[in-house]
Amino acid sequence: MVLEPDRPAAFEKRLEWRSHFTPPMPAEYLSEEAEQFWRYIKSSLSDLLDLVAGQDDEVIRWRPPARDANSIIILARHTLANAGVNILHTLGGLEYNYDREANFGEDISRDEVLATWTPLCERLEAVMRTLPQERIDGPVPHHWRGEIPGREVLIIVARHTAEHLAHARLTADLAAVALGR
């Protein structure tokens, strides 16, 4: 790997990880709206996993000194699971084992989180590609919100992934200061 002078090694490591783990994009979507939502959801999730891949273990496990604060690794696992339950189960009607509380345990490694991404991304994208506009427009049974429009589910996922990406970036910045880097 050749480093360009203006690219730090951590950035190169993230690019290397993404090229290895991001599946190629197949053709057509049934809904242009689903394609637009997926582009932003996938981008936020990919950037979050890039952050996990590009930081050392001490940074991704550091927690801000605030009540109920989460580490980057926990944010990543939780955000992937949330996208999974909302897209695969709520919109796609597929079985998905979701245990929200289990997402917040410390019992996970960087490799486990990163290994989750490729198969999950492929499944998420398959649902998004085959999601008919009627499913976006119509009501769907959400696991705790009751019946809501499919579009609202997509907004929830897009907002949630973007919020936790920003949260993880801020946590990384705080960790760098706290750890003297």
Side-chain angles (χ1 to χ4, degrees):
M1 170 175 22
V2 176
L3 296 179
E4 295 178 21
D6 59 336
R7 283 188 166 173
F11 179 75
E12 290 294 331
K13 184 177 179 181
R14 288 192 307 270
L15 288 180
E16 179 181 319
W17 175 84
R18 185 178 280 193
S19 68
H20 178 71
F21 285 100
T22 302
M25 293 285 285
E28 305 297 316
Y29 283 78
L30 290 180
S31 163
E32 184 178 322
E33 189 173 9
E35 181 178 12
Q36 291 168 351
F37 269 106
W38 178 239
R39 185 172 44 249
Y40 289 100
I41 292 166
K42 182 179 179 183
S43 174
S44 290
L45 290 171
S46 293
D47 288 353
L48 180 56
L49 275 288
D50 284 350
L51 186 62
V52 170
Q55 299 291 328
D56 66 41
D57 206 55
E58 191 175 21
V59 171
I60 65 171
R61 292 193 178 281
W62 182 86
R63 288 178 181 244
R67 191 182 87 229
D68 299 327
N70 290 299
S71 64
I72 294 168
I73 191 108
I74 299 302
L75 290 170
R77 176 170 58 186
H78 163 69
T79 306
L80 289 172
N82 181 273
V85 72
N86 279 295
I87 293 174
L88 299 176
H89 179 70
T90 303
L91 289 173
L94 303 173
E95 288 296 317
Y96 187 80
N97 184 17
Y98 182 68
D99 181 353
R100 186 180 189 283
E101 292 308 311
N103 292 320
F104 294 96
E106 292 290 336
D107 61 332
I108 191 148
S109 72
R110 172 200 323 269
D111 290 343
E112 288 171 304
V113 170
L114 295 177
T116 300
W117 177 228
T118 298
L120 180 62
C121 181
E122 290 170 353
R123 291 181 69 206
L124 294 170
E125 188 164 15
V127 167
M128 294 299 287
R129 285 187 177 284
T130 59
L131 193 62
Q133 190 63 43
E134 300 78 40
R135 187 81 174 157
I136 295 170
D137 294 336
V140 296
H142 191 269
H143 58 282
W144 64 272
R145 295 176 190 263
E147 208 164 87
I148 61 175
R151 181 174 293 103
E152 188 172 336
V153 174
L154 292 171
I155 291 168
I156 290 165
V157 175
R159 184 196 73 213
H160 187 260
T161 56
E163 286 172 349
H164 281 318
L165 170 60
H167 186 179
R169 285 177 174 161
L170 178 58
T171 299
D173 291 344
L174 293 170
V177 172
L179 299 170
R181 297 184 181 177

